[in-house]
Amino acid sequence: MVALAVVAGAVGCQDGDGTKAAGASATAQPGAQATQSPEEAAKAVRAAYAKTSAAKSAKVEMRLTVGGGKAPGGSTFTGVQAWGPVAADLKVFDSSYLADIPGAPVETRVVTAGQATYVDLGKGLTAQTGGKRWLKVEAGGAAGGDELMVQLTGGLTAASMDLPKELGLLAGSAAVKHLGPVQGGDVKAEAYEGELPDGTFVQVWIGADGYPMETRVASEADGTSTSLTTKYSDFGAEAAVQAPPAGETVAFVDLLKRLGRG
């Protein structure tokens, strides 16, 4: 039951200008020939940062994979993500975490709003929550110090990325470099990569319109490796995300008490 919280930890993921950007091909790879200097590469990433910040939201398709550590697995998320403030309304499917929980739905919905993430537990698990449909996990709340929660969310902060923040950090990295044009299908993009000060590795594909088409974020800490690939489209998509009614939610710490964790 508590393993479902890993989904919430993974996505703790506004109206804009309506600009569109097509999603990148899953098989496209950066070319081998880089043509831009480090200064030019940083300038291109800064420009993408400015456009993304102004758009405030986008449609996303994310694949999260966790290896090693105590909670390996993976999930796919699709929906709308916003930033400034961070918010999301996502469908979760193809999840090994959900598959390992008796009674959990095969696919579900995750909402991030107001500094908290809510997971729809489905009808099969509400008997363990006093009839409450939504599990609530607060960022930095009391549950953050729980050993189990630390285990389940360790290394998954890459999945809650604030896209403009990541682009800003990448643009400011001394190691940002141009990988060359992305090759494959009809994709027209330039690929850039760099390592952030916290050791996180970021690769971004920037389309001909200046918007990010895809990001790949990888990190490793305490024996846990986390990889997140996100495809973006429809920048400025409506993201009117609302938290579920308080009467229909159960806090993670209260769930632990119900399960005898005290």
Side-chain angles (χ1 to χ4, degrees):
M1 174 65 176
V2 180
L4 189 59
V6 76
V7 179
V11 296
C13 41
Q14 314 13 270
D15 293 334
D17 59 6
T19 305
K20 309 295 183 181
S25 168
T27 60
Q29 297 293 331
Q33 183 178 6
T35 59
Q36 298 178 8
S37 68
E39 292 76 15
E40 291 172 325
K43 181 179 179 180
V45 176
R46 282 196 299 271
Y49 159 79
K51 298 195 75 168
T52 302
S53 298
K56 298 184 182 297
S57 63
K59 292 182 179 179
V60 296
E61 178 182 335
M62 304 187 296
R63 179 62 190 175
L64 171 70
T65 303
V66 182
K70 299 179 180 179
S75 297
T76 298
F77 308 86
T78 60
V80 178
Q81 188 180 60
W83 40 85
V86 172
D89 192 339
L90 304 169
K91 180 176 75 171
V92 187
F93 58 98
D94 191 19
S95 172
S96 60
Y97 296 111
L98 292 176
D100 287 341
I101 304 169
V106 175
E107 61 181 50
T108 190
R109 182 181 168 208
V110 173
V111 173
T112 298
Q115 302 299 315
T117 297
Y118 305 84
V119 182
D120 186 345
L121 299 176
K123 295 180 179 179
L125 296 176
T126 54
Q128 300 184 59
T129 64
K132 304 294 181 67
R133 180 72 179 246
W134 294 85
L135 173 66
K136 179 181 181 180
V137 180
E138 296 190 58
D146 183 85
E147 181 180 353
L148 181 58
M149 176 59 85
V150 172
Q151 171 190 338
L152 293 174
T153 62
L156 298 184
T157 52
S160 59
M161 65 179 294
D162 182 324
L163 178 58
K165 179 180 178 181
E166 296 289 338
L167 292 175
L169 290 173
L170 179 60
S173 170
V176 63
K177 61 182 179 180
H178 179 224
L179 300 179
V182 174
Q183 298 176 348
D186 296 327
V187 175
K188 296 185 182 300
E190 298 291 332
Y192 303 85
E193 70 175 13
E195 186 174 356
L196 305 186
D198 60 3
T200 299
F201 178 84
V202 177
Q203 185 179 108
V204 57
W205 299 358
I206 299 177
D209 60 1
Y211 283 92
M213 297 175 67
E214 182 170 322
T215 58
R216 299 177 179 185
V217 181
S219 62
E220 186 169 352
D222 300 325
T224 298
S225 60
T226 303
S227 174
L228 177 69
T229 297
T230 305
K231 297 180 181 180
Y232 299 92
S233 62
D234 293 313
F235 278 89
E238 183 177 358
V241 181
Q242 293 185 341
E248 298 179 11
T249 66
V250 56
F252 180 77
V253 289
D254 293 333
L255 178 59
L256 292 183
K257 293 177 182 178
R258 288 179 174 274
L259 298 178
R261 288 290 304 277

